[in-house]
Amino acid sequence: MADRTPDLVERAVARPLARRYETSADEVQRLIEATYTVIERTGSLDPTVRDILRQSGLSNQVFYRHFRSKDDLLIAMLDHGRRQMADHLRHRMSLAANPLDAARAWIEGVLAQATDRRAAARTRPFLAHIDRLAARFPDEQRASEQAMIQPLASALRETAATGLLTSPGEAADYDRDARTVYLLTIAVLHDHLRTGTRPDSTQTDHLVRFTLTGLGASH
């Protein structure tokens, strides 16, 4: 059926729904920003719903209209953050000269979260809760991880196709390779977040070299 312009009755129906959506989106954003603000101000890795509501100026009723629990809010924030990071990584990778450099840009982009004070402060709380959140929301956890892994898997496939991997082999599994690189890079990131340190260029270069050599990258 061809697209058509909504008639006046349909527009009248949609008008209050649009306002309701805008209000809902604003409330959710206020709750998310309030959570980050409380974390940054207090240093707490586990802010209470009461503190979040006090900071946001919203009511208990509003909170539970959008989220079933604090963990529901946290997994939503984690998912949103990972998808934003995936978009950022794609942008970094798009500036690379070739697929191998794009894979390198992915690793460097992930580790950059530990070099930026604000990004580190916003990422650190999820380190404390990641196992619990993964156990409670396995599908959401996997999907948000995959959003970050997919650009890297694509880069590895292109790297092999252009001959920059020396021995990809017939049974190469770039999705599995990408997930392995993801787990290793995230572990290094979490180690820095846990200790409050920042990876310097030597450490980042070592991880990039170690990872790409393991993948069979030609030099």
Side-chain angles (χ1 to χ4, degrees):
M1 186 176 183
D3 291 339
R4 64 178 180 80
T5 303
D7 63 33
L8 294 181
V9 169
E10 291 169 329
R11 292 182 191 180
V13 171
R15 195 171 296 121
L17 296 178
R19 286 196 296 268
R20 192 177 306 164
Y21 176 85
E22 290 174 3
T23 298
S24 181
D26 177 68
E27 289 170 348
V28 169
Q29 190 59 39
R30 285 171 64 182
L31 289 169
I32 289 172
E33 287 303 319
T35 304
Y36 281 131
T37 298
V38 171
I39 289 169
E40 292 176 25
R41 187 183 71 241
T42 65
S44 171
L45 300 183
D46 195 17
T48 65
V49 172
R50 178 180 296 178
D51 286 342
I52 293 169
L53 293 178
R54 184 181 296 119
Q55 178 66 39
S56 68
L58 298 173
S59 68
N60 227 27
Q61 182 181 11
V62 169
F63 181 92
Y64 288 105
R65 182 161 62 236
H66 298 294
F67 301 104
R68 292 164 294 182
S69 65
K70 184 175 64 178
D71 278 358
D72 201 33
L73 166 63
L74 292 176
I75 193 65
M77 292 172 65
L78 178 61
D79 178 78
H80 184 64
R82 281 176 172 165
R83 293 178 189 278
Q84 284 189 316
M85 173 55 63
D87 289 342
H88 172 69
L89 293 173
R90 286 191 188 90
H91 174 69
R92 290 181 66 120
M93 296 167 77
S94 71
L95 302 177
N98 57 60
L100 186 60
D101 284 345
R104 180 180 290 109
W106 186 96
I107 297 171
E108 293 172 345
V110 172
L111 291 185
Q113 292 178 86
T115 64
D116 182 270
R117 184 195 64 78
R118 191 161 189 254
R122 290 190 164 206
T123 304
R124 191 173 291 114
F126 297 102
L127 174 61
H129 305 297
I130 189 64
D131 290 339
R132 185 180 78 252
L133 294 175
R136 289 199 60 191
F137 307 97
D139 293 340
E140 293 86 347
Q141 156 75 4
R142 190 79 176 188
S144 63
E145 281 187 333
Q146 191 58 35
M148 287 185 61
I149 293 170
Q150 190 277 326
L152 178 61
S154 296
L156 295 184
R157 287 191 186 88
E158 293 177 26
T159 299
T162 54
L164 294 172
L165 293 183
T166 54
S167 303
E170 294 181 1
D173 186 339
Y174 300 112
D175 290 325
R176 181 174 295 179
D177 289 345
R179 180 165 178 79
T180 300
V181 175
Y182 167 83
L183 292 173
L184 175 59
T185 308
I186 289 295
V188 173
L189 170 65
H190 283 185
D191 186 57
H192 282 289
L193 293 175
R194 189 179 296 110
T195 58
T197 56
R198 300 181 180 184
D200 59 28
S201 59
T202 300
Q203 293 170 316
T204 301
D205 288 345
H206 176 267
L207 178 61
V208 170
R209 185 171 63 253
F210 177 86
T211 301
L212 296 183
T213 299
L215 290 169
S218 56
H219 298 286

